[in-house]
Amino acid sequence: MESRCENCIVRQFNSLRAMSKEELKQVSETKTTKKIKKGEPLFEEGDKLKGVYCVRNGVSKLSKLSANGKDQIVKLATKGEVIGQRSVIAEECTNLSAIAVNDMEVCFIPKESIVHTLQKNPNFTLEVLRHMAHDLKEADDVIVNISQKTVKQRIAEAFLYLKNNFGEDDEGFLALTLSREDISNVVGTATESAIRIISEFKKKGFIHTSGKKIGIKNERKLAEMVEGF
């Protein structure tokens, strides 16, 4: 049986926590739960969204296609995050694509439930604003990183981010496995450059690899590189 929004632990991580029991009941009655396979889109850039997605499990990469045909990943959305609320609230087409990095389970909430609650519940409106402001700050950080840090610094920072936010598996590898192309799209460089720098980090003993998997061997050295030492 689908878990109801009132009892869902995931909502504690997003703006839905500011909804009243009655509002959550309405969302529960209108939402649908979907399973998204690794590599499948939740939506594509330019789509008109009919609602938002609340992530119950898995990770989605939010990316924008540049003029040269390369994706720039601006965010990795994980458990508890709501995807698509800016587009729904602004009544604009999406400016990002959302693709599943691994198998996902999401709840799709129709826009009517969101918009109705925005108009009636100021606490919910404030929570939505807070989350959108946080997303804006993260986007600003991406711009600053790309303009002021070297590719090596950005890749080192990406590895530390993946460890701190998603942890490691039993074998000491980063729990979230990104392809070399995804890593290059996170840091804003050519895939060949990312592969070359990952190989260099491995030779220096900063990381170890097994196929696509990457593990951090010397966290201090990576942190020093990020700081410019």
Side-chain angles (χ1 to χ4, degrees), residues 20-56:
S20 68
K21 274 194 174 173
E22 203 54 45
E23 287 160 348
L24 283 168
K25 186 166 173 282
Q26 186 192 357
V27 168
S28 265
E29 286 165 359
T30 57
K31 76 175 173 73
T32 51
T33 302
K34 299 182 177 184
K35 291 189 185 295
I36 314 285
K37 287 281 182 198
K38 177 182 176 179
E40 286 183 357
L42 280 79
F43 53 80
E44 305 270 14
E45 191 174 332
D47 283 355
K48 189 82 172 167
L49 293 189
K50 294 177 179 175
V52 300
Y53 295 88
C54 181
V55 182
R56 286 182 68 175

Side-chain angles (χ1 to χ4, degrees), residues 40-177:
E40 286 183 357
L42 280 79
F43 53 80
E44 305 270 14
E45 191 174 332
D47 283 355
K48 189 82 172 167
L49 293 189
K50 294 177 179 175
V52 300
Y53 295 88
C54 181
V55 182
R56 286 182 68 175
N57 277 301
V59 180
S60 171
K61 58 183 179 184
L62 302 179
S63 63
K64 185 156 187 67
L65 199 62
S66 64
N68 65 4
K70 185 167 173 60
D71 274 320
Q72 171 66 53
I73 295 175
V74 298
K75 183 182 175 70
L76 293 170
T78 185
K79 185 174 182 174
E81 299 204 44
V82 175
I83 305 173
Q85 56 187 3
R86 189 208 64 81
S87 174
V88 164
I89 291 165
E91 294 189 333
E92 294 175 354
C93 294
T94 59
N95 70 328
L96 301 172
S97 294
I99 310 288
V101 175
N102 48 25
D103 289 351
M104 297 183 74
E105 189 179 359
V106 299
C107 290
F108 176 77
I109 303 167
K111 66 183 289 185
E112 291 74 26
S113 295
I114 300 296
V115 173
H116 176 77
T117 310
L118 277 173
Q119 292 166 344
K120 302 284 183 187
N121 182 341
N123 290 333
F124 176 65
T125 308
L126 188 58
E127 277 293 320
V128 169
L129 278 173
R130 281 192 185 126
H131 284 275
M132 287 171 72
H134 178 73
D135 284 347
L136 195 56
K137 177 182 177 294
E138 284 191 340
D140 288 344
D141 289 344
V142 168
I143 293 166
V144 170
N145 272 353
I146 287 175
S147 61
Q148 295 185 0
K149 289 180 178 169
T150 67
V151 178
K152 285 183 185 178
Q153 284 177 306
R154 300 200 304 264
I155 289 180
E157 190 170 41
F159 291 157
L160 295 173
Y161 172 86
L162 290 170
K163 181 183 176 182
N164 292 334
N165 286 272
F166 301 99
E168 297 173 317
D169 64 18
D170 296 339
E171 297 175 308
F173 293 104
L174 296 170
L176 182 64
T177 302

